[in-house]
Amino acid sequence: MALNHLGEKIKRIRLERGMTLKILAEKTGFSISFLSQLERGKSSATLESLKKISIAFGVNPSYLFEEERVGEDQSFIFEQRMDAHQIYYKDLGAMVSPRDFAPLYVVLKPGQIEGNLITHKGQEFLYVIEGILTVRLEDNIYELNPTESIMLDSTRPHYWYNYTNQEVRLLCVSSEVKGE
């Protein structure tokens, strides 16, 4: 997915929800300037910024990567990726809408260590397929190896990182964030 496509999608969702850049800035903690540049494709996003924006919109982060669906057959899996930001999502549940939870296949590139703790409504279940995933939950640090998992209350401050020089592949099942 092109950087500009992501920015256009963020702007479209923001306008659909009747939000100004100022309102989105207040909900995310980002500056109006940053959000404007992101929408115009002049700035890049981190996993953290995409999560905060999706929370402000009341959608799962994978929604920002979804391509518009054409036709009636939605029984196949859609892939979403954004190489410019070293984030890869594959929404494994895109064929069902509305839904109560979102199963995502996520790849964290080596050294993906940026991001501050976040909170949002719901729960997350993380299952490591490959690599070593570092999960911070408040003041606790967990290192998960392949076939290990953790389930957490997303209202508690948390974030996940890849401190290694290899990709981390994981399954993230999160409850859908409902709009307020």
Side-chain angles (χ1 to χ4, degrees), residues 91-104:
D91 188 341
L92 303 176
M95 69 286 300
V96 176
S97 181
R99 57 191 178 177
D100 295 324
F101 63 91
L104 303 171

Side-chain angles (χ1 to χ4, degrees), residues 100-177:
D100 295 324
F101 63 91
L104 303 171
Y105 173 71
V106 181
V107 178
L108 297 179
K109 297 295 183 181
Q112 192 164 347
I113 60 173
E114 293 182 21
N116 297 309
L117 299 179
I118 63 169
T119 61
H120 53 89
K121 292 180 182 178
Q123 300 169 335
E124 289 180 15
F125 171 80
L126 306 172
Y127 176 86
V128 178
I129 299 165
E130 182 180 304
I132 300 171
L133 178 68
T134 301
V135 178
R136 181 165 176 204
L137 179 59
E138 294 176 332
D139 292 329
N140 299 311
I141 304 289
Y142 302 92
E143 283 194 355
L144 303 177
N145 293 295
T147 72
E148 293 182 335
S149 63
I150 188 170
M151 185 159 179
L152 53 96
D153 176 348
S154 301
T155 63
R156 295 173 60 193
H158 67 284
Y159 207 77
W160 3 296
Y161 307 92
N162 179 0
Y163 287 106
T164 72
N165 60 1
Q166 297 179 348
E167 287 184 344
V168 173
R169 298 173 186 274
L170 65 128
L171 173 66
C172 172
V173 180
S174 60
S175 55
E176 284 290 291
V177 180

Side-chain angles (χ1 to χ4, degrees), residues 2-174:
L3 175 62
N4 191 30
H5 182 71
L6 175 70
E8 290 170 3
K9 180 137 190 188
I10 289 171
K11 183 175 183 175
R12 182 177 55 79
I13 296 169
R14 177 178 61 78
L15 294 174
E16 285 173 358
R17 285 168 171 62
M19 286 186 188
T20 63
L21 281 171
K22 181 179 179 188
I23 291 170
L24 185 57
E26 290 169 356
K27 287 182 171 263
T28 61
F30 298 126
S31 70
I32 294 172
S33 173
F34 167 74
L35 293 170
S36 174
Q37 289 176 2
L38 183 62
E39 287 185 353
R40 292 180 286 127
K42 304 292 184 193
S43 181
S44 61
T46 64
L47 184 58
E48 175 187 7
S49 60
L50 292 175
K51 282 186 177 184
K52 285 184 176 183
I53 290 168
S54 67
I55 290 165
F57 289 155
V59 299
N60 193 281
S62 67
Y63 183 77
L64 299 176
F65 297 95
E66 289 179 5
E67 298 296 330
E68 299 304 317
R69 298 180 185 144
V70 179
E72 296 300 316
D73 184 10
Q74 297 181 8
S75 62
F76 54 92
I77 296 173
F78 292 89
E79 249 184 52
Q80 300 81 34
R81 71 185 307 156
M82 187 173 68
D83 289 328
H85 305 297
Q86 302 297 297
I87 299 167
Y88 178 90
Y89 282 107
K90 182 184 236 179
D91 188 341
L92 303 176
M95 69 286 300
V96 176
S97 181
R99 57 191 178 177
D100 295 324
F101 63 91
L104 303 171
Y105 173 71
V106 181
V107 178
L108 297 179
K109 297 295 183 181
Q112 192 164 347
I113 60 173
E114 293 182 21
N116 297 309
L117 299 179
I118 63 169
T119 61
H120 53 89
K121 292 180 182 178
Q123 300 169 335
E124 289 180 15
F125 171 80
L126 306 172
Y127 176 86
V128 178
I129 299 165
E130 182 180 304
I132 300 171
L133 178 68
T134 301
V135 178
R136 181 165 176 204
L137 179 59
E138 294 176 332
D139 292 329
N140 299 311
I141 304 289
Y142 302 92
E143 283 194 355
L144 303 177
N145 293 295
T147 72
E148 293 182 335
S149 63
I150 188 170
M151 185 159 179
L152 53 96
D153 176 348
S154 301
T155 63
R156 295 173 60 193
H158 67 284
Y159 207 77
W160 3 296
Y161 307 92
N162 179 0
Y163 287 106
T164 72
N165 60 1
Q166 297 179 348
E167 287 184 344
V168 173
R169 298 173 186 274
L170 65 128
L171 173 66
C172 172
V173 180
S174 60

